[in-house]
Amino acid sequence: MGRKGDETRGRLLDATQDLIEAGGYFGAGLNQVIAASGMPRGSLYFHFPGGKDQLVAEALRRAGLELGQAMRDLADAAPDATALVTGVIKLLGDRLEGSAWRKGCPVATVALEMAAGNDALQQVCAEVYDAWEGALRERLIADGHPDADDVATSVLALVEGALLLARARRSRDPLDRAARSVAALLGG
């Protein structure tokens, strides 16, 4: 695919990411994606012959990779797992507040909507969460933390729940409380 094709595909994915993060699967209709991207309908079907599910799946994977990279960058700079998670909470809180409380986790809304009824999208959501949990587990193991598997799952659940509460309340307070709870849980 040439540069123009990559650019078109990227604009469609950008628009889809923004729409699904703010409004979930059902908030990202194909007409909305076309309008937000400025791309013609034919381009959408050319680049995503599997239709909306393929488009959403690729947008979720891409969002997962982007946040995963941000987590790795934070991990490289953080002295320990507590600092890493606190940095992730701050990053996500900044995104959420900066988007007028529309963009929390790039995966959560679709996971809540589609996990029970769409096996392909459920699998993508699970893959993204597994990757994030794995990155945290690796850091916990490197720090010598006991029960890294259980703690990684607990921390991810705590962060996801705090994002949901922060979005619902339009307040960073749940994120601040989650950061304090993570510090207590990790002994930091």
Side-chain angles (χ1 to χ4, degrees):
M1 185 177 327
R3 189 179 60 103
K4 184 173 176 161
D6 288 341
E7 182 180 317
T8 298
R9 190 172 209 289
R11 286 176 62 182
L12 290 164
L13 287 169
D14 287 344
T16 303
Q17 266 181 255
D18 286 345
L19 290 166
I20 62 175
E21 189 169 353
Y25 180 86
F26 298 107
L30 295 181
N31 289 334
Q32 289 91 340
V33 171
I34 291 165
S37 69
M39 297 289 104
R41 183 173 297 276
S43 292
L44 189 146
Y45 289 109
F46 174 79
H47 291 285
F48 304 97
K52 182 175 177 177
D53 283 357
Q54 179 188 3
L55 178 63
V56 170
E58 291 191 35
L60 288 171
R61 280 191 185 97
R62 186 175 182 233
L65 289 171
E66 289 170 0
L67 186 54
Q69 183 59 53
M71 288 173 65
R72 284 187 296 282
D73 292 346
L74 287 167
D76 289 344
D80 57 28
T82 301
L84 165 61
V85 177
T86 301
V88 169
I89 289 171
K90 181 182 180 335
L91 171 77
L92 292 170
D94 290 348
R95 283 179 83 246
L96 181 58
E97 191 171 15
S99 70
W101 309 103
R102 292 171 32 94
K103 294 182 177 184
C105 173
V107 178
T109 305
V110 174
L112 290 169
E113 291 176 329
M114 304 305 292
N118 185 314
D119 291 343
L121 292 178
Q122 174 276 324
Q123 183 61 38
V124 172
C125 292
E127 288 169 11
V128 171
Y129 283 132
D130 288 347
W132 294 345
E133 193 173 324
L136 180 55
R137 182 175 36 263
E138 287 175 17
R139 181 54 188 258
L140 289 165
I141 290 168
D143 287 357
H145 202 286
D147 303 318
D149 287 333
D150 291 347
V151 172
T153 298
S154 297
V155 169
L156 181 60
L158 183 66
V159 171
E160 284 293 308
L163 282 168
L164 176 64
L165 292 173
R167 189 171 179 184
R169 294 178 181 160
R170 295 183 180 173
S171 167
R172 288 184 83 121
D173 187 55
L175 296 166
D176 296 339
R177 289 174 187 231
R180 290 192 299 271
S181 294
V182 165
L185 177 67
L186 299 180

